[in-house]
Amino acid sequence: MIIRQIFNNNVIRAENQVGHEFVVIGNGLGFKKKNGQRVDEEKIEKTFVLKSDKIPQKLIDLIGETSVEYLKVADEIVGSAKTEMGDIFSDNIYISLIDHIQFAISRYKKSVGLKNSLLWQIKKFYKKEFMIGMRALDIIHAQFGIQMDEHEASFIAMHFVNARQDAQGMKQTVEITEVIDDIFNIVTDYYQLALDETSFNYSRFITHLQYFAQRMLNNEQEQRASGDNFLYEQVKDKYAKAFQCTHLINQYLESKHESAMSIDEKVYLTIHIQRVTSRNDMASS
């Protein structure tokens, strides 16, 4: 690898023989070096392998002013997330995570903790991301000796939720979570039951709500061509109670979000509600 930019004595930007760029960390990697020289690969401790061919300028700027410890912690947390969920996150996760960790540690050193009003929803609807957040707390504690609470884990989890949804923006991630929570509450209130969160149908139901809420907020719902309503009528008759619940959800969407479900969305949601509320997927109250 060839040095392309020196951030400090321990962090550089490098390029391999096929033109891919990396952020490389190692004690003394940049000390008395110049752009264009070969990287002393024996000193490499960590390598940020990014998806895009070029490193985002915002990440370059952030790295230039961030200590090696924060970079290593962020890289370890992202590595843990990829092990759990696969390489599905955008490169922006490094930017948001490094920035968040620095701010969080600064707050905790001043004994200032923040409460996440969506803690319950994050734990319930984004279980894997929340688990990543809890593991992140262990990594942070091991590096900095600071023990953070589950509210902080939920904030970290939200960054990973955001990073796997095409970096849509934290504001929309919050909105999606709130929509899911509202729909979830309509279903459980209507059926007066607790859903089995360990069931496969529950996982499919929550996943459907996540993508449905994203499409709805982005105005991406597909409208089916008029004509064949056979499946719609079949579902409406066969799953009458689930269909009525879907009708209540549609009323909520029209009232609060000025968005109505398409025929297809009603069919799919009714089927998911029928499955998740069936006797085999009902948890004991």
Side-chain angles (χ1 to χ4, degrees), residues 90-105:
S90 70
D91 290 340
N92 286 326
I93 186 60
Y94 290 104
I95 299 172
S96 63
L97 191 59
I98 292 170
D99 193 50
H100 179 86
I101 292 171
Q102 288 186 103
F103 180 59
I105 289 176

Side-chain angles (χ1 to χ4, degrees), residues 226-237:
S226 59
D228 182 15
N229 292 327
F230 177 75
L231 181 58
Y232 175 80
E233 294 299 331
Q234 286 286 98
V235 167
K236 180 180 177 180
D237 292 339

Side-chain angles (χ1 to χ4, degrees), residues 5 7 10 29 33 36 60 70 78 106 120-121 126-127 169 173 179 225 228 263 281:
Q5 185 175 357
F7 299 114
N10 304 316
L29 268 178
K33 295 291 185 179
I60 292 175
Y70 289 106
V78 173
S106 176
W120 182 87
Q121 290 87 343
Y126 300 105
K127 294 179 182 294
T173 296
V179 170
D228 182 15
I263 290 178
D281 278 295

Side-chain angles (χ1 to χ4, degrees), residues 267-285:
V267 169
Y268 299 143
L269 184 56
T270 298
I271 292 172
H272 278 290
I273 291 173
Q274 175 64 28
R275 286 172 174 169
V276 80
T277 58
S278 66
R279 187 174 299 271
N280 291 336
D281 278 295
M282 293 168 59
S284 58
S285 301

Side-chain angles (χ1 to χ4, degrees), residues 17-284:
Q17 62 270 26
V18 294
H20 293 155
E21 293 189 344
F22 308 87
V23 173
V24 185
I25 299 173
N27 188 32
L29 268 178
F31 182 65
K32 292 186 178 180
K33 295 291 185 179
K34 295 181 180 180
N35 292 346
Q37 292 182 329
R38 294 181 64 86
V39 177
D40 187 351
E41 299 188 14
E42 292 184 357
K43 294 182 178 180
I44 294 177
E45 298 175 20
K46 287 283 186 180
T47 301
F48 286 86
V49 182
L50 305 182
K51 293 179 182 178
S52 57
D53 289 336
K54 297 298 180 182
I55 300 170
Q57 185 60 45
K58 188 173 181 180
L59 180 56
I60 292 175
D61 296 339
L62 187 60
I63 288 171
E65 58 188 37
T66 301
S67 68
V68 174
E69 289 75 16
Y70 289 106
L71 301 178
K72 288 182 178 179
V73 164
D75 191 41
E76 189 172 351
I77 293 171
V78 173
S80 175
K82 289 180 178 179
T83 298
E84 177 66 31
M85 299 184 66
D87 190 8
I88 61 174
F89 305 104
S90 70
D91 290 340
N92 286 326
I93 186 60
Y94 290 104
I95 299 172
S96 63
L97 191 59
I98 292 170
D99 193 50
H100 179 86
I101 292 171
Q102 288 186 103
F103 180 59
I105 289 176
S106 176
R107 284 192 287 103
Y108 269 79
K109 286 181 176 178
K110 299 175 183 177
S111 299
V112 178
L114 294 180
K115 301 298 181 183
N116 190 344
S117 61
L118 294 176
L119 171 63
W120 182 87
Q121 290 87 343
I122 293 296
K123 292 174 69 173
K124 198 172 191 70
F125 303 139
Y126 300 105
K127 294 179 182 294
K128 288 185 178 180
E129 288 87 348
F130 183 73
M131 185 183 302
I132 291 167
M134 292 299 292
R135 288 177 181 169
L137 300 193
D138 293 335
I139 294 171
I140 292 170
H141 180 257
Q143 178 65 50
F144 298 103
I146 296 175
Q147 187 62 62
M148 300 180 177
D149 61 21
E150 62 178 4
H151 284 275
E152 203 62 50
S154 69
F155 284 124
I156 293 173
M158 290 177 70
H159 285 291
F160 282 97
V161 172
N162 186 48
R164 75 174 174 85
Q165 293 180 344
D166 300 323
Q168 63 199 5
M170 188 59 72
K171 181 177 182 291
Q172 190 175 106
T173 296
V174 171
E175 291 175 344
I176 288 172
T177 305
E178 291 174 342
V179 170
I180 294 170
D181 187 42
D182 289 342
I183 294 176
F184 183 90
N185 288 333
I186 291 171
V187 173
T188 53
D189 288 347
Y190 181 74
Y191 279 87
Q192 289 294 296
L193 56 81
L195 303 181
D196 181 4
E197 297 180 20
T198 65
S199 72
F200 179 62
N201 283 331
Y202 178 87
S203 297
R204 291 201 299 184
F205 176 57
I206 296 301
T207 299
H208 177 77
L209 292 185
Q210 289 167 357
Y211 287 106
F212 165 73
Q214 185 177 10
R215 291 194 303 272
M216 187 268 293
L217 291 172
N218 288 331
N219 296 315
E220 294 175 350
Q221 295 189 69
E222 294 184 1
Q223 297 292 334
R224 189 176 65 175
S226 59
D228 182 15
N229 292 327
F230 177 75
L231 181 58
Y232 175 80
E233 294 299 331
Q234 286 286 98
V235 167
K236 180 180 177 180
D237 292 339
K238 186 174 182 180
Y239 305 131
K241 187 172 183 179
F243 185 84
Q244 179 59 29
C245 186
T246 295
H247 177 68
L248 294 176
I249 293 169
N250 192 55
Q251 288 182 325
Y252 146 76
L253 294 172
E254 289 179 328
S255 174
K256 187 169 182 178
H257 298 282
E258 299 182 349
S259 177
M261 283 188 284
S262 66
I263 290 178
D264 282 348
E265 292 287 7
K266 289 179 182 178
V267 169
Y268 299 143
L269 184 56
T270 298
I271 292 172
H272 278 290
I273 291 173
Q274 175 64 28
R275 286 172 174 169
V276 80
T277 58
S278 66
R279 187 174 299 271
N280 291 336
D281 278 295
M282 293 168 59
S284 58

Side-chain angles (χ1 to χ4, degrees), residues 2-16:
I2 301 299
I3 297 174
R4 291 304 180 205
Q5 185 175 357
I6 300 172
F7 299 114
N8 53 50
N9 288 341
N10 304 316
V11 185
I12 63 172
R13 178 172 58 157
E15 182 180 317
N16 65 11

